């Protein structure tokens, strides 16, 4: 039953919206100011099937009162490319975060790496995409990000109103408490869009493998932090009006010290520069060494396939951007291309991602609950470029150009 005062409010809003639209005014703004917050949560490296292990009761509760889907990650199945896809609706070849490690012919001598603070926060790497928080801020909304890749850079001249420098040592509880504190801010500073990032599941997946007790314990700890958030929302009477979207960036495949392709056996250092190693190898031939590098890599290999950037399979939607390295080798799932000395330090059994996005082990998770969603709906597999237009719709803001589509999600949305 809808209390009369809410029904009246609904009528006034509807009336107000059509009146505004008739005068060409900001109907979008009115709609968004009426809605509750949207919280986007990333659990880095949370493979879709972890949700069925019975170890994440809070995520399961969200799925139970909302929707869930398996989600295809973008190529390459790495953290920075996929986090930027989730908030831009563009695949890496378009948004320009083409790998966790990359070069740009327009930025000679520079290399983007996660550990390089100056590069991670430099706008130039991010400016090919417009993340949701930039569009939301431009539409007059307040946004807050707790460690989303890209959120430490000023993009197109805009930053989230609230953001923090990445600190891997900040506990999951403290991250949740920061998000709740932002929601307690006075109305003028209170965010409508919030992003929250957890990395522990990915870290344990790498060290112990996706089928380890250690991974399960990490997933349970992150799930408890999500429970702390929903309880914090409930105690503030905000849970019923908040749309929560939980995603991951990619899955995790088991690797082994016995499944290594030694880099030293493939190419010689004078042929060029190695950028990424692991599930994929990216290689930039040195001047005058293109033929040697291609001869070494573009032949048949066991457990690995290499391509020129122009020849990558179409389903990867990858190879147009100037930052994509000239030569790209993808290992068979579960294998890694590594220098011998790095391989020797790898755990006997561990985990990695960066493999073929159509391998089931790379499948990411999507769970969403709140007033915009139906209850208890399992959707067919979605694509992670579809998350961005969904977020724009939840925030009632006009999306920037994107490659996603909400039609696959339509069946999970509540009727307006
Ligand atoms: P990867 O598994 O190599 O694709 O990347 C995952 C790692 O990225 C996690 O261990 C995070 O700690 C790290 N990471 C996430 N956000 C940031 C950031 N803003 N700056 C640097 N590293 C980050
Ligand atoms: Zn990741
Ligand atoms: Zn990882």
């Amino acid at each position: 039953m809808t209390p009369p005062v809410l029904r009246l409010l609904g009528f006034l809003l509807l009336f107000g919206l059509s009146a505004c639209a008739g005068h060409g005014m900001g109907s979008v703004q009115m709609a968004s100011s009426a809605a509750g917050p949207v919280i986007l949560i990333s659990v880095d490296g949370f493979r879709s099937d972890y949700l069925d292990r019975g170890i994440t009761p809070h995520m399961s509760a969200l799925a139970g009162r909302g929707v869930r889907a398996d989600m295809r990650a973008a190529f390459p199945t790495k953290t920075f490319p996929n986090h930027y896809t989730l908030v831009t609706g563009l695949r890496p070849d378009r948004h320009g975060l083409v790998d966790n490690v990359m070069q740009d012919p327009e930025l000679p001598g520079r290399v983007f790496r996660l550990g390089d603070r100056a590069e991670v926060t430099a706008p130039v790497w991010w400016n090919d995409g417009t993340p949701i928080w930039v569009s939301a801020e431009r539409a007059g909304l307040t946004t807050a990000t707790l460690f989303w890749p890209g959120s430490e850079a000023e993009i197109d001249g805009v930053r989230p109103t609230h953001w923090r420098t990445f600190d891997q040592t900040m506990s999951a509880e403290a991250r949740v408490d920061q998000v709740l504190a932002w929601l307690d801010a006075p109305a003028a500073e209170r965010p409508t869009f919030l992003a929250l990032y957890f990395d522990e599941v990915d870290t344990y997946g790498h060290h112990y493998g996706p089928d380890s007790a250690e991974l399960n314990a990490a997933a349970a700890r992150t799930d408890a932090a999500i429970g702390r958030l929903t309880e914090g929302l409930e105690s503030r009477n905000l849970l019923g009006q908040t749309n929560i979207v939980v995603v991951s960036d990619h899955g995790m495949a088991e690797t082994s010290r016995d499944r290594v392709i030694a880099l030293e056996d493939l190419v010689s250092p004078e042929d060029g520069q190695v950028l990424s190693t692991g599930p994929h190898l990216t290689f930039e031939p040195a001047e005058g060494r293109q033929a040697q590098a291609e001869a070494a890599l573009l032949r048949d290999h066991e457990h690995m396939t290499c391509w020129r950037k122009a020849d990558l399979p179409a389903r990867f939607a990858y190879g147009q951007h100037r930052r994509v390295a000239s030569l790209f080798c993808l290992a068979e799932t579960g294998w890694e291309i590594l220098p011998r000395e790095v391989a020797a330090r790898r755990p006997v059994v561990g985990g990695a991602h960066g493999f073929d996005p159509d391998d089931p082990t790379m499948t990411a998770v999507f769970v969403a609950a709140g007033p915009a969603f139906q209850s208890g709906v399992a959707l067919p597999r979605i694509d992670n470029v579809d998350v961005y237009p969904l977020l724009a719709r939840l925030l009632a803001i006009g999306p920037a150009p994107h490659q996603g589509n909400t039609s696959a999600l339509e069946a999970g949305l509540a009727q307006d």
Side-chain angles (χ1 to χ4, degrees):
M1 264 232 341
T2 318
V5 63
L6 282 186
R7 251 183 284 146
L8 177 65
L9 192 66
F11 171 78
L12 285 176
L13 268 174
L14 268 179
F15 180 76
L17 281 180
S18 49
C20 280
H23 292 92
M25 286 166 58
S27 58
V28 158
Q29 295 257 355
M30 278 202 62
S32 55
S33 61
V38 175
I39 306 182
L40 175 66
I41 303 174
S42 163
V43 185
D44 197 317
F46 192 101
R47 199 170 77 185
S48 171
D49 65 292
Y50 296 172
L51 195 55
D52 301 313
R53 292 185 177 179
I55 52 176
T56 55
H58 297 101
M59 282 175 72
S60 294
L62 285 175
R65 70 177 179 85
V67 303
R68 74 168 282 189
D70 287 350
M71 186 162 71
R72 184 186 191 266
F75 185 88
T77 53
K78 287 285 183 176
T79 297
F80 270 50
N82 275 283
H83 275 87
Y84 211 40
T85 291
L86 287 161
V87 294
T88 60
L90 299 173
R91 299 200 170 87
D93 218 27
R94 281 274 298 275
H95 66 51
L97 267 290
V98 301
D99 203 344
N100 281 353
V101 184
M102 59 183 172
Q103 288 180 323
D104 187 329
E106 292 180 6
L107 305 169
R110 288 170 67 172
V111 181
F112 179 97
R113 295 178 199 282
L114 305 198
D116 187 330
R117 303 300 311 156
E119 296 299 355
V120 165
T121 58
V124 67
W125 296 105
W126 305 94
N127 277 336
D128 287 0
T130 305
I132 188 80
W133 59 80
V134 169
S135 301
E137 291 278 346
R138 287 217 175 102
L141 301 179
T142 300
T143 68
T145 52
L146 198 79
F147 310 157
W148 199 276
S151 65
E152 301 166 280
E154 187 178 279
I155 301 171
D156 256 359
V158 179
R159 284 181 193 277
T161 301
H162 309 281
W163 63 279
R164 290 280 179 274
T165 298
F166 181 62
D167 172 9
Q168 196 173 14
T169 67
M170 186 177 187
S171 71
E173 291 71 30
R175 297 178 194 196
V176 166
D177 291 348
Q178 173 63 82
V179 162
L180 290 169
W182 280 327
L183 288 168
D184 288 334
E189 297 156 34
R190 195 180 310 146
T192 302
F193 171 78
L194 303 99
L196 171 58
Y197 170 75
F198 297 114
D199 44 359
E200 203 188 351
V201 168
D202 180 71
T203 304
Y204 279 75
H206 283 296
H207 283 133
Y208 300 98
D211 293 318
S212 62
E214 289 86 350
L215 176 279
N216 285 350
R221 284 193 294 276
T222 301
D223 183 70
I226 292 172
R228 185 184 182 92
L229 176 68
T230 52
E231 280 149 29
L233 292 169
E234 189 149 37
S235 70
R236 288 162 176 79
N237 275 326
L238 282 174
L239 190 58
Q241 66 193 79
T242 304
N243 286 304
I244 301 175
V245 179
V246 185
V247 293
S248 60
D249 50 349
H250 49 70
M252 187 68 69
E254 189 175 281
T255 53
S256 160
R257 209 186 277 168
D258 298 332
R259 291 195 296 270
V260 171
I261 301 158
L263 184 59
E264 293 85 347
D265 297 344
L266 293 174
V267 269
S268 82
E270 64 260 29
D271 287 342
Q273 190 179 359
V274 170
L275 290 159
S276 283
T277 59
H280 68 247
L281 167 74
T282 56
F283 195 81
E284 205 49 69
E287 212 155 301
R289 304 292 294 185
Q290 178 102 8
Q292 288 85 342
E294 291 193 351
L297 293 175
L298 301 177
R299 58 182 178 87
D300 283 345
H301 301 272
E302 270 192 285
H303 312 298
M304 179 183 93
T305 310
C306 303
W307 301 269
R308 283 188 200 99
K309 66 186 280 188
D311 299 332
L312 280 152
R315 66 192 175 83
F316 293 161
Y318 193 72
Q320 300 284 313
H321 200 284
R322 65 181 183 279
R323 294 175 190 158
V324 175
S326 299
L327 296 169
F328 194 107
C329 301
L330 182 64
E332 182 184 325
T333 300
W335 285 75
E336 289 189 282
I337 308 156
L338 295 172
R340 283 208 171 79
E341 169 262 325
V342 175
R345 284 187 273 116
R346 278 283 204 268
V348 177
V349 172
H353 52 87
F355 298 110
D356 189 326
D358 291 312
D359 189 282
T361 58
M362 292 299 106
T363 305
V365 76
F366 173 91
V367 174
F373 297 95
Q374 307 249 23
S375 186
V377 175
L379 294 168
R381 181 168 134 123
I382 63 167
D383 203 313
N384 72 348
V385 287
D386 301 338
V387 172
Y388 171 79
L390 171 72
L391 296 173
R393 188 156 151 174
L394 296 177
L395 292 167
I397 60 173
H402 63 86
Q403 297 173 294
N405 182 335
T406 51
S407 60
L409 284 158
E410 218 64 52
L413 291 173
Q415 304 304 314
D416 295 321

